[in-house]
């Protein structure tokens, strides 16, 4: 069997004026991850909220966007502990990780610089599944909802919740050429798509 793909989606602290800050000013507040076969069969799932430490109080905007409440994060592990939980769940299973776009890769890289977790998960190679999907379908509508709609699918669950976003990205795997995924693994993360 081909190695699994860990489809991951992060939520982070945010504010209305998105254009005025970078990932270096934000902190992860949810990690959602679905372990799936390249054909899209879900094998296992992991999800946790994460407690931000620099900006511990979520903005109203952030709660409205993500539906993640102050209480959700107040009771959650901090980033390094959450990454240990992720590692425990992965439990040395091989495979790459993928996300819809490069945002999640960049958010992880920034968190690791500020709050090093030294976790095993960070050693996995990343693939931008949005790019692989675009290369497969030759279609430019690349929002998650519109990609699903392209295949006649509706988003299931709550958009901008990490675990639901990850589940919905995994639903697109059957429509992505696995060779395009393999070709994109570990590609330079310089583009922001
Ligand atoms: P997503 O996976 O699309 O839910 O987005 C991940 C994170 O990006 C969110 O948790 C926010 O921190 C940020 N984000 C997404 N959309 C917006 C937006 N419209 N305005 C500000 N931040 C956003
Ligand atoms: Mg999301």
């Amino acid at each position: 069997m081909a190695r699994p793909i860990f489809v991951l989606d992060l939520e982070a602290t945010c504010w209305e004026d998105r254009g005025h800050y970078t990932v270096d000013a934000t902190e992860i507040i949810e990690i959602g991850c679905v372990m799936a076969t390249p054909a899209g069969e879900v094998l296992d799932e992991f999800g946790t909220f994460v407690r931000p430490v620099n900006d511990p109080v979520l903005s109203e905007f952030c709660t409205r966007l993500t539906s993640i409440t102050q209480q959700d994060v107040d009771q959650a592990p901090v980033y390094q502990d959450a990454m240990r939980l992720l590692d425990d769940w992965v439990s040395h299973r091989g495979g790459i990780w993928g996300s819809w776009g490069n945002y999640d890769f960049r958010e992880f890289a920034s968190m690791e610089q500020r709050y090093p977790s030294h976790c095993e998960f960070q050693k996995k190679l990343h693939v931008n599944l949005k790019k692989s999907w675009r290369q497969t379908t030759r279609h430019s509508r690349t929002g998650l909802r519109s990609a699903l709609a392209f295949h006649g699918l509706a988003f299931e669950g709550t958009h901008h919740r990490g675990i639901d976003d990850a589940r919905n990205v995994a639903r697109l795997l059957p429509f992505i050429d696995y060779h395009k995924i393999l070709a994109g693994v570990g590609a330079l993360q310089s583009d922001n798509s």
Side-chain angles (χ1 to χ4, degrees), residues 79-155:
Y79 172 71
Q80 286 104 333
D81 293 339
M83 292 307 283
R84 261 187 285 280
L85 295 176
L86 177 64
D87 267 2
D88 288 348
W89 171 71
V90 171
S91 67
H92 305 288
R93 288 181 289 210
I96 56 173
W97 75 281
S99 61
W100 192 252
N102 268 335
Y103 161 78
D104 307 83
F105 180 89
R106 291 187 293 113
E107 183 71 52
F108 255 153
S110 174
M111 287 296 287
E112 277 298 309
Q113 270 199 339
R114 289 174 286 157
Y115 312 102
S117 72
H118 305 293
C119 69
E120 288 295 312
F121 190 87
Q122 296 282 356
K123 295 180 186 158
K124 289 189 180 299
L125 291 171
H126 173 255
V127 64
N128 177 345
L129 293 171
K130 180 156 88 173
K131 197 167 184 174
S132 313
W133 180 84
R134 217 163 43 191
Q135 288 170 342
T136 304
T137 61
R138 299 180 181 280
H139 207 263
S140 58
R141 284 164 63 193
T142 49
L144 181 50
R145 274 181 191 280
S146 46
L148 288 162
F150 182 72
H151 300 290
L153 302 172
F155 189 95

Side-chain angles (χ1 to χ4, degrees), residues 23-96:
V23 286
D24 296 328
T26 67
E27 291 168 85
I28 292 172
I29 58 172
E30 186 190 359
I31 301 170
C33 192
V34 168
M35 182 175 84
T37 65
E41 185 194 351
V42 173
L43 304 172
D44 204 356
E45 288 187 355
F46 169 87
T48 182
F49 293 117
V50 181
R51 175 156 48 89
V53 293
N54 193 44
D55 278 307
V57 179
L58 299 185
S59 69
E60 267 178 47
F61 173 83
C62 187
T63 292
R64 220 179 316 126
L65 180 79
T66 63
S67 80
I68 298 170
T69 66
Q70 189 63 43
Q71 204 183 9
D72 289 333
V73 294
D74 281 347
Q75 296 166 347
V78 296
Y79 172 71
Q80 286 104 333
D81 293 339
M83 292 307 283
R84 261 187 285 280
L85 295 176
L86 177 64
D87 267 2
D88 288 348
W89 171 71
V90 171
S91 67
H92 305 288
R93 288 181 289 210
I96 56 173

Side-chain angles (χ1 to χ4, degrees), residues 155-171:
F155 189 95
E156 288 176 355
T158 305
H159 197 11
H160 301 303
R161 269 295 314 275
I163 189 63
D164 285 344
D165 286 356
R167 286 175 182 146
N168 280 280
V169 175
R171 291 170 69 211

